Amino acid sequence: MRSELFSAENLEKEHVEPGLRLQNSKLLKAELNGEFLARTGSMVAYQGRVTFEALGSGGLGKFLKQKLTGEGVPLMRVRGQGDVFLADNAADIHLIDLEPGDALSINGANVLAFDSTLQYDIKMVSGAGMMSNAGLFNCVFSGHGRIAVTTKGTPVVLNVDQPTYVDPQAAIAWSASLQTGYHRAEQLGLGTLLGRTTGERFTMSFAGQGFVIVQPSEEPPGGLAGVGGGKKSSGGSILGDLFDD
């Protein structure tokens, strides 16, 4: 049988060490010997002895936090030995490696999978208050490990070295050390423009030292719920201590 479909670029990529890697720009391959966490429903294929455990509905703390934040993107724990392939509606996938001391705030709707060695919590975005219906809560990751995030289109990474303003639904991730705020569009002279093109009445500001990842599309707000262990409460987290298994 012959076809360009069977070209080398489409064949499964093999590695010696386990971990999260890109099979291609829209498909994540997890070479599994242990466990990792992923968005429920993101598995498109797997090989080997693998189990999937839903984590989105267990425990009072998980239920309360999901209700208070409005974040309803559940997670699953993936365990075993084998290969697991993940995707999210053909979105582009990017890998980010966190080192000890790093902290990254990510829109939960853009999180595809991450190493179980990482800690995360759902936190209110500083300065958001109740002014906008987008981006009020984000997932803040820290520790040592790899995260796979998705974007709709090729993103731009803005270095925050001057006042920076972003549509709240286009800002998918930023350095957790940045100071954030929300501003009415009218204060920036953008009221008519934003009102006609995006429907946003607010824009998000960033200050300090760090970066913001912006995708060329608007993403509805969404967080992660239902991960056991490794969650700590600090600076604006909600019910953080209730989430320990």
Side-chain angles (χ1 to χ4, degrees), residues 28-58:
L28 179 70
K29 180 182 181 182
E31 292 175 283
L32 181 61
N33 185 17
E35 69 174 39
F36 70 98
L37 295 118
R39 176 185 301 278
T40 298
S42 61
M43 185 274 293
V44 296
Y46 73 94
Q47 296 175 306
R49 308 175 85 177
V50 180
T51 62
F52 301 86
E53 177 190 359
L55 299 172
S57 59

Side-chain angles (χ1 to χ4, degrees), residues 11 18 33 104 143 160 176 185 188:
L11 296 180
N33 185 17
L104 185 64
V160 181
L188 302 173

Side-chain angles (χ1 to χ4, degrees), residues 140-200:
V140 178
F141 287 84
S142 60
H144 183 266
R146 176 168 285 185
I147 308 172
V149 300
T150 60
T151 65
K152 292 182 178 178
T154 302
V156 60
V157 179
L158 302 178
N159 182 32
V160 181
D161 54 4
Q162 57 186 316
T164 301
Y165 302 89
V166 180
D167 185 312
Q169 294 182 349
I172 68 167
W174 58 85
S175 305
S177 59
L178 288 175
Q179 291 122 41
T180 59
Y182 276 70
H183 300 270
R184 290 187 180 276
E186 293 81 4
Q187 294 176 337
L188 302 173
L190 296 174
T192 301
L193 174 63
L194 290 178
R196 288 183 178 175
T197 59
T198 69
E200 293 295 337

Side-chain angles (χ1 to χ4, degrees), residues 195-210:
R196 288 183 178 175
T197 59
T198 69
E200 293 295 337
R201 293 183 298 139
F202 302 93
T203 189
M204 193 172 182
S205 66
F206 297 89
Q209 297 295 317

Side-chain angles (χ1 to χ4, degrees), residues 14 16 20 33 53 60-61 63 67 71 73 77 87 94 99 138 153 159 169-170 176 184 205 208 228 236 244:
E14 301 285 357
V16 176
L20 302 177
N33 185 17
E53 177 190 359
L60 175 62
F63 174 79
K67 293 302 181 184
E71 309 302 271
V73 182
R77 179 177 284 116
H94 310 270
E99 303 291 341
N138 256 25
N159 182 32
Q169 294 182 349
R184 290 187 180 276
S205 66
D244 293 333

